[in-house]
Amino acid sequence: MKLFVIAGEPSGDRLGRAVMAGLKQLDPGVSFDGIGGPRMTDEGLKSRFPMEELSVMGIAEVLPRYRQLMRRIDETARAVIETRPDILLTIDSPDFCLRVARRVKEAGAPVRCVHYVAPSVWAWRPGRAAKMARSIDQVLALLPFEPPYMEAAGMACDFVGHPVVTDPQATEKEARAFRERHGIGDAPLVLALPGSRRGEVQRLSETFGGALARVQAALPEARVVLPCAAPVVDLVRAETRHWSAAPLLIDPGRDTDGAEKRAAFRAADVALAASGTVSLELAAADTPMVIAYDMGWISRQIIGRMLLTDTVTLVNLVSETRSVPEFIGKHCQPEVIGRGLLRVLERPEAQRAALRETMARLGA
């Protein structure tokens, strides 16, 4: 079996690695081609170009790189058509991946197109499902409520569970050792997670720093820990240099097995996180959270008018609660986020039932 696999960001790279490992167990002779990051490379993929070129999000962020992205779409589609894999497996990054799949189908190539991670048509732009069905044969969904949306548009769709439920978690002993190792003791510990994309970090770092400063003003003994995503380590270091609540940075270059990051997740009393799948990682670690996110002004205006749900936090959606406070768009302001963090620190148990229900529904 030959697969052409495309992932465009760290979360997709993680999913891609798991798929590649699973397929190698089922068919030791399987071969891979495509685009991916370090995790997929470890499983044997030789990426045709750096995955980081695709890690852009939002209208304002994409526009300056539009021509380059279009060239990469053409180049990738040609590679699929020429190599004739059995399956084109596209992972998330729909703006790039679905354009590639469409060009492959339009060329008449006999390739089955499978997309891993259903687009959030339940949240905004529901017409995407019908448009997607023109080029995608099958969807692999991470969330249990997604298959009906995809099937109604004419695609096969399977809920395959969310990989977060199989991730290793730190023990209480490892969390305590983390606190002792870094001199934190019993002080309140806030986990800061401003995103894995450069644009996210640049937009959110000042706001996150301001919110954390308000927490530290109310709780002077509070500490902050920030596990960095590999593509933005240097940027995070530069952006947080001016935070009054100086964070303990966890560099993935040194934390090669992720043990330090896992311990930080378990040791934290509360997390301040950008919107996205990180909320599920926090739920898996049983860590209460506050979600905050903003985007470029143009993206905010357009998406704000198209949003179909009253929450964008996956824990809230999967658990069918509104337990996790979120501060999105114009509400993403340091003062209100800081107050939200202090409220969660006062009553962390208020989220725990929703966190555990989320994990159960995702396949734990």
Side-chain angles (χ1 to χ4, degrees), residues 252-268:
R254 297 182 178 180
D255 182 32
T256 53
D257 62 356
E260 191 81 340
K261 176 184 174 181
R262 290 194 295 272
F265 269 59
R266 184 64 182 267

Side-chain angles (χ1 to χ4, degrees), residues 155-179:
M155 292 171 283
C157 185
D158 298 281
F159 167 55
V160 297
H162 200 290
V164 73
V165 302
T166 63
D167 286 348
Q169 300 297 325
T171 63
E172 190 60 41
K173 182 179 178 181
E174 289 168 332
R176 174 54 56 184
F178 175 89
R179 282 176 168 268

Side-chain angles (χ1 to χ4, degrees), residues 104-132:
V104 169
K105 287 293 188 183
E106 287 172 350
V111 177
R112 181 170 179 81
C113 294
V114 180
H115 190 69
Y116 190 11
V117 184
S120 49
V121 296
W122 37 266
W124 69 297
R125 286 173 57 198
R128 283 179 294 169
K131 187 176 180 182
M132 182 175 167

